Amino acid sequence: MHAPPTAPRARRRTRALGFAALAVAMLMSVPTAQTAFGEEVRAVPGGGDLGPNVHVFDPSTPDIQGKVDEIFKKQESAQFGTDRYALMFKPGTYDDINAQIGFYTQIAGLGLNPNDTTFNGDVTVDAGWFDGNATQNFWRSAENLTLNPVSGTNRWAVSQAAPFRRMHVKGGLNLAPDGYGWASGGYIADSKIDGTVGPYSQQQWYTRDSSVGGWGNGVWNMTFSGVQGAPASSYPNPPYTTLDTTPISREKPFLYLDGDDYKVFVPEKRVNARGVSWDGGAQQGESIPLNRFYVVKQGATAATINAALAQGLNLLFTPGVYHIDETINVNRADTVVLGLGLATIIPDNGVTAIKVADVDGVKLAGFLIDAGPVNSSTLLEVGPQGASADHSANPTSLQDVFVRIGGAGPGKATTSIVVNSDDTIIDHTWVWRADHGEGWGWETNRADYGVRVNGDDVLATGLFVEHFNKYDVEWYGERGRTIFFQNEKAYDAPNQAAIQNGDTKGYAAYRVDDSVEQHEGWGMGSYCYYNVDPTIIQEHGFKAPVKPGVKFHSLIVVSLGGNGQYEHVINDVGSPTSGPDTIPSQVVNFP
């Protein structure tokens, strides 16, 4: 990992060149290509079937409930298993469905609009497998469906890495498990809930560019941007932080059927968005036919994936686990890399899993990067060090891109995600150093840094980063913005000395470099649970320079059950947490 810059970097404008696009067009027009050494290789074909782990249903499919139940039975408690599934429903109406969604399962409609595919029934996540505790209901998703819940309210009791996107619920939405056990926060985007959303026991939640009929309550941190019907800002009591619009957003690409042909719809960027993108008119965006994608199936090599990218193809990863022995290089502007069913990429030999060039409009969405046992210096890089091109008209976006270090087995990575390109949108990520499962421990799954942002004008909406050995988030770029941040410090620190940061007790969860002149954040929380050594003191959850252009709103730190304590919230501001009663300390505005 190169050292980050120590002074603000001036943005330099660059002129796009058309030679790369011309070369791609020439290459795609012939069935073979030549390597740099003159060897002739066959072109990688685009399109094809979606593989054995994508199950496509239409209303006449027999025993839909039986198939959905069969997959749920396998996945309900398979937190670190290797099976991956996508349940895709063609446009139409489906009666008497209760689709329970377990680990590594995506359920989605195949219409261009959520209202094209209707369930007279439910899409359910509960926590019976974990005795009513929903804090480990990770890695699953629901997208592009309309629900008429049987009871009038649909239950979606999840925590991290479980997006609810492009959904229309003709009723209420309950975010808590049966029995109202613990739940630790999630994400809704581009969704319309006609009734009331009831968080109940949810500790924190972020909702973006949506519409709700009402909002029931808040525990620690409920954040909204661009949400019609959202409660007014009232932090800290109730703990609502509400932005009228989202400054910049782009909805996640999705697979759909145009007649009998599969296509991927790529929504356009929205500025100052409010409400859903799909209601009351034509959606703005581009439809890309499947034959312009390399449909990646299990057993595909990194070399073939890179050859497909070099040809100008996009990537559609079907559900599965993909071991790679070289970096996947995304060098073409507007490339789409879309995963189905939480497709998982594992770098086996310490390589960086994915590198994106400093080009316009790359869309990365819907996959999990799982660190391998050999340390990777980085797992995902957006732009090379020193990237300087202006992407404000067409930014690169990361959506439902998740990172895991350990848990499914030993894994190591020095820094998980590095964002060097200006204007990047990070829309819902969970970057997680494991605190349970297999292959975890203070040194076993060593991972010092979660997310490092060097690019200017980067926006994060829904930033979940947890348990890193040092800083969870470091920000060096100018004019960065974060709307909603959720963090836990590493549980497994063995003692105070292990986290000592020079003269500072512990590493902040979110640090803005002293060189930065402008930065802003809303709805941000850090929690500690130092259960190995409950006497550990964390000096603060947040650290930032005291400058007129650096502003934070609605900050919170919490000591969970008194296992470790915070002395302050940000810098030396904010009351200490104390005692075993999990009483938060809050700062409404900083400075």
Side-chain angles (χ1 to χ4, degrees), residues 91-114:
T93 299
Y94 298 79
D95 294 325
D96 303 319
I97 294 287
N98 180 21
Q100 298 185 81
I101 305 301
F103 286 99
Y104 313 110
T105 304
Q106 173 191 21
I107 187 168
L110 285 170
L112 188 56
N113 187 295

Side-chain angles (χ1 to χ4, degrees), residues 66-84:
K67 187 63 179 179
V68 170
D69 288 347
E70 174 192 330
I71 291 172
F72 176 67
K73 185 176 180 181
K74 292 176 64 176
Q75 299 303 106
E76 180 182 11
S77 59
Q79 183 173 178
F80 298 108
T82 56
D83 287 340
R84 306 285 187 270

Side-chain angles (χ1 to χ4, degrees), residues 14 16 53 151 153 183 221 238 268 302 308 418 455 488 491 496 528 533 549:
T14 60
N53 299 324
S151 71
T153 299
N221 175 18
E268 284 189 1
V418 178
E488 287 179 347
Y491 290 3
Q496 187 76 45
C528 73
D533 181 0

Side-chain angles (χ1 to χ4, degrees), residues 232-438:
S233 285
S234 54
Y235 192 87
N237 188 26
Y240 299 148
T241 304
T242 302
L243 285 72
D244 190 56
T245 62
T246 304
I248 302 167
S249 53
R250 178 197 282 137
E251 299 309 328
K252 175 177 173 281
F254 61 93
L255 187 71
Y256 79 102
L257 274 171
D258 183 1
D260 294 328
D261 298 324
Y262 285 106
K263 295 181 179 179
V264 170
F265 189 78
V266 182
E268 284 189 1
K269 184 188 76 169
R270 304 170 78 196
V271 176
N272 295 325
R274 179 172 172 81
V276 300
S277 69
W278 44 266
D279 198 20
Q283 300 170 86
Q284 300 301 306
E286 178 190 10
S287 289
I288 305 175
L290 194 64
N291 63 12
R292 288 172 54 191
F293 284 80
Y294 171 44
V295 180
V296 190
K297 297 171 187 169
Q298 291 200 82
T301 65
T304 303
I305 292 169
N306 278 324
L309 288 167
Q311 278 177 219
L313 292 173
N314 303 287
L315 301 179
L316 182 71
F317 281 88
T318 65
V321 177
Y322 299 88
H323 289 263
I324 59 169
D325 58 1
E326 62 182 72
T327 298
I328 296 171
N329 291 298
V330 182
N331 295 324
R332 179 178 58 86
D334 296 312
T335 300
V336 177
V337 179
L338 177 61
L340 303 178
L342 281 294
T344 301
I345 300 168
I346 302 176
D348 284 332
N349 54 353
V351 300
T352 298
I354 298 176
K355 290 185 179 181
V356 179
D358 193 26
V359 296
D360 274 357
V362 172
K363 291 89 178 174
L364 308 179
F367 57 86
L368 169 66
I369 299 174
D370 203 357
V374 178
N375 185 72
S376 294
S377 60
T378 59
L379 292 172
L380 171 61
E381 294 182 20
V382 180
Q385 185 184 28
S388 59
D390 174 21
H391 305 296
S392 57
N394 185 13
T396 285
S397 53
L398 284 62
Q399 299 181 289
D400 304 343
V401 172
F402 309 125
V403 170
R404 179 172 68 197
I405 300 100
K412 293 185 177 182
T414 305
T415 306
S416 289
I417 296 178
V418 178
V419 178
N420 293 315
S421 287
D422 294 344
D423 308 294
T424 301
I425 301 168
I426 306 169
D427 179 46
H428 190 226
T429 187
W430 186 38
V431 184
W432 184 64
R433 176 181 166 268
D435 64 325
H436 62 272
E438 299 293 332

Side-chain angles (χ1 to χ4, degrees), residues 179-265:
Y180 303 98
W182 293 337
S184 68
Y187 172 93
I188 293 170
D190 202 24
S191 293
K192 185 177 182 180
I193 293 90
D194 294 348
T196 297
V197 179
Y200 301 106
S201 54
Q202 281 287 354
Q203 295 159 349
Q204 60 268 317
W205 197 277
Y206 175 52
T207 308
R208 177 183 65 71
D209 297 355
S210 293
S211 172
V212 299
W215 192 269
N217 70 293
V219 177
W220 291 336
N221 175 18
M222 299 286 154
T223 301
F224 310 84
S225 67
V227 179
Q228 296 167 337
S233 285
S234 54
Y235 192 87
N237 188 26
Y240 299 148
T241 304
T242 302
L243 285 72
D244 190 56
T245 62
T246 304
I248 302 167
S249 53
R250 178 197 282 137
E251 299 309 328
K252 175 177 173 281
F254 61 93
L255 187 71
Y256 79 102
L257 274 171
D258 183 1
D260 294 328
D261 298 324
Y262 285 106
K263 295 181 179 179
V264 170
F265 189 78

